[in-house]
């Protein structure tokens, strides 16, 4: 059932035990939204628990109370809750094992066009740059103030999902919210430096990956591959796709990541074609200009299938 922000707030207010989760392979929006809402609820005297079926990447371990994010212990562990709040995830598969081990009504707050309306209650604003923006909307709708810990997390959520105010989703509203959050003692340099700090192994991995760069489809598509060697050096590969994306004339950038044998994670970025459609056609999802999916095939097969789909996407334009 579709709900308004006021209805979402009422659901949260009337729940005693609240569980908050987000998507696997968490990014800044996912973690910042989870922790931002968590701090806000705690400040309001609510009991909330953070559950995520993945590790918190090292670059986000500056977020206050990130260690409160727990992984579901094992398959048989069951959590009963008054409300499971699913943030920044557009389908049930995206929350991994949390979907199977939690019982209770589900409220989904999200901003993906590919949202499948899987939850009992859903609020999806595809105009929002980040789920963090929706959390700020929610707090405003409730007429409540934002505390400094919450502000740091929500600033991180919003800033990361709009590429630190550079992508097309950077609206005047985004900049106003960022300004309001900075009023709460957020230090923007702390956020960007923490996320951007790299290790020598990170750079060695990047060197290996950039060596795989290739242009396809007359320079309209660019592709990089993260093989198991590059992945053994680091898991912080999120920013790599910015390199193929930045090449003049490239409309669609692809990163293929061999996460295990016959399992390839695909990241897509676009300046023209709708890559959320391409990702959806492989069971994934995302936004028009940033999307992803997973293919259970070899790297070579994944590459040819994705390139075929991109060729079709580009031809449609
Ligand atoms: P990334 O390439 O950074 O992993 O993801 C880009 C965007 O697509 C993000 O908004 C992310 O939430 C979404 N996305 C990535 N992979 C998947 C997927 O497998 N399923 C769905 N539904 N969305 C995805
Ligand atoms: Mn996300
Ligand atoms: Mn997001």
């Amino acid at each position: 059932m579709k709900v308004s922000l006021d209805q979402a707030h009422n659901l949260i207010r009337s729940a005693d035990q609240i569980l908050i989760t987000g998507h696997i392979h968490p990014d800044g929006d996912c973690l910042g939204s989870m922790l931002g809402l968590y701090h806000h609820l705690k400040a309001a005297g609510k009991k909330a628990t953070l559950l995520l079926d993945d590790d918190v990447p090292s670059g986000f371990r500056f977020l206050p109370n990130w260690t409160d994010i727990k992984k579901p212990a094992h398959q048989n562990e069951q959590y009963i809750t008054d409300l499971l709040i699913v943030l920044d995830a557009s389908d049930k598969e995206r929350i991994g094992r949390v979907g199977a081990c939690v019982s209770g009504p589900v409220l989904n707050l999200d901003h993906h066009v590919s949202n499948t309306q899987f939850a009992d209650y859903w609020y999806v604003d595809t105009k929002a740059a980040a789920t963090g923006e929706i959390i700020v909307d929610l707090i405003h709708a409730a007429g409540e103030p934002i505390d400094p810990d919450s502000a740091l997390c929500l600033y991180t959520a919003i800033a990361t999902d709009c590429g630190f105010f550079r992508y097309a989703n950077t609206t005047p509203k985004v900049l106003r919210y960022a300004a309001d959050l900075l009023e709460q003692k957020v230090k923007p340099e702390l956020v960007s430096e923490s996320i951007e700090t790299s290790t020598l192994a990170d750079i060695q991995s990047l060197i290996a990956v950039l060596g795989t760069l290739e242009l396809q489809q007359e320079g309209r598509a660019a592709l990089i591959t993260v093989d198991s060697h590059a992945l053994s050096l680091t898991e912080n590969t999120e920013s790599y796709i910015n390199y193929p994306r930045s090449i003049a004339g490239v409309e669609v950038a692809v990163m293929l990541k061999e996460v295990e044998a016959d399992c390839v994670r695909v990241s897509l970025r676009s300046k023209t074609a709708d890559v959320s459609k391409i990702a959806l056609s492989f069971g994934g999802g995302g936004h028009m200009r940033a999307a992803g999916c997973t293919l259970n095939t070899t790297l070579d097969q994944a590459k040819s299938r994705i390139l075929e789909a991109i060729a079709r996407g580009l031809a449609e334009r």
Side-chain angles (χ1 to χ4, degrees):
M1 174 183 150
K2 182 178 174 173
V3 293
S4 66
L5 275 182
D6 283 337
Q7 287 170 318
H9 173 247
N10 283 336
L11 284 166
I12 294 170
R13 199 179 43 191
S14 49
D16 282 330
Q17 286 282 350
I18 294 173
L19 233 148
I20 303 171
T21 194
H23 61 79
I24 51 173
H25 313 297
D27 51 20
D29 187 25
C30 171
L31 296 165
S33 295
M34 286 177 66
L35 284 160
L37 181 60
Y38 175 70
H39 283 290
H40 183 73
L41 293 180
K42 272 212 326 197
K46 281 249 164 230
K47 245 199 201 148
T49 306
L50 296 161
L51 202 60
L52 182 67
D53 188 15
D54 217 327
D55 295 320
V56 174
S58 55
F60 294 110
R61 294 186 186 168
F62 70 95
L63 291 170
N65 295 69
W66 71 269
T67 52
D68 289 356
I69 299 178
K70 305 294 180 207
K71 259 190 184 175
H74 55 78
Q75 206 74 41
N76 300 327
E77 183 143 11
Q78 283 293 318
Y79 301 80
I80 299 166
T81 184
D82 295 334
L83 191 64
L84 171 65
I85 306 179
V86 176
L87 300 176
D88 200 40
S90 56
D91 61 51
K92 198 164 177 214
E93 284 66 49
R94 289 286 281 163
I95 62 173
R97 291 183 302 147
V98 171
C101 66
V102 177
S103 19
V106 178
L107 167 66
N108 178 213
L109 305 177
D110 184 36
H111 68 131
H112 291 94
V113 273
S114 61
N115 191 286
T116 59
Q117 304 173 1
F118 66 94
D120 301 305
Y121 307 99
W122 48 272
Y123 178 85
V124 179
D125 178 2
T126 58
K127 288 203 284 298
T131 299
E133 181 180 329
I134 298 175
I135 307 287
V136 177
D137 288 335
L138 181 76
I139 296 173
H140 285 174
E144 292 162 355
I146 300 183
D147 68 282
D149 280 344
S150 199
L152 172 57
C153 298
L154 294 171
Y155 175 85
T156 302
I158 294 172
T160 51
D161 250 25
C162 66
F164 286 88
F165 314 106
R166 287 173 300 133
Y167 299 159
N169 56 0
T170 307
T171 59
K173 183 182 171 204
V174 161
L175 291 172
R176 275 188 211 107
Y177 276 17
D180 291 345
L181 295 168
L182 290 189
E183 301 279 4
Q184 300 302 316
K185 304 193 188 78
V186 174
K187 292 195 160 48
E189 76 280 16
L190 169 87
V191 176
S192 52
E193 282 165 16
S194 306
I195 291 170
E196 281 159 17
T197 298
S198 47
T199 62
L200 180 61
D202 286 337
I203 303 295
Q204 286 166 334
S205 164
L206 176 62
I207 292 169
V209 171
L210 288 181
T212 68
L213 174 68
E214 55 186 295
L215 290 188
Q216 294 278 351
Q217 290 156 24
E218 288 147 356
R220 297 175 76 190
L223 190 137
I224 52 172
T225 304
V226 185
D227 64 10
S228 50
H229 165 68
L231 259 189
S232 71
L233 292 167
T234 183
E235 300 216 324
N236 302 326
T237 57
E238 240 195 69
S239 61
Y240 293 2
I241 193 142
N242 293 327
Y243 292 94
R245 200 177 73 100
S246 68
I247 299 170
V250 167
E251 293 173 59
V252 177
V254 189
M255 178 167 78
L256 299 174
K257 191 156 90 175
E258 190 181 26
V259 286
E260 53 192 80
D262 289 346
C263 182
V264 181
R265 278 273 323 145
V266 182
S267 286
L268 297 160
R269 300 291 183 270
S270 173
K271 292 179 198 137
T272 55
D274 182 350
V275 285
S276 73
K277 276 194 199 156
I278 298 176
L280 260 176
S281 73
F282 292 105
H287 312 281
M288 217 179 124
R289 287 162 191 267
C293 53
T294 301
L295 271 70
N296 292 312
T297 60
T298 64
L299 208 44
D300 280 348
Q301 282 168 329
K303 183 167 154 182
S304 62
R305 291 181 63 188
I306 291 288
L307 283 173
E308 268 168 36
I310 291 172
R312 280 196 300 275
L314 288 174
E316 270 174 22
R317 295 195 38 81

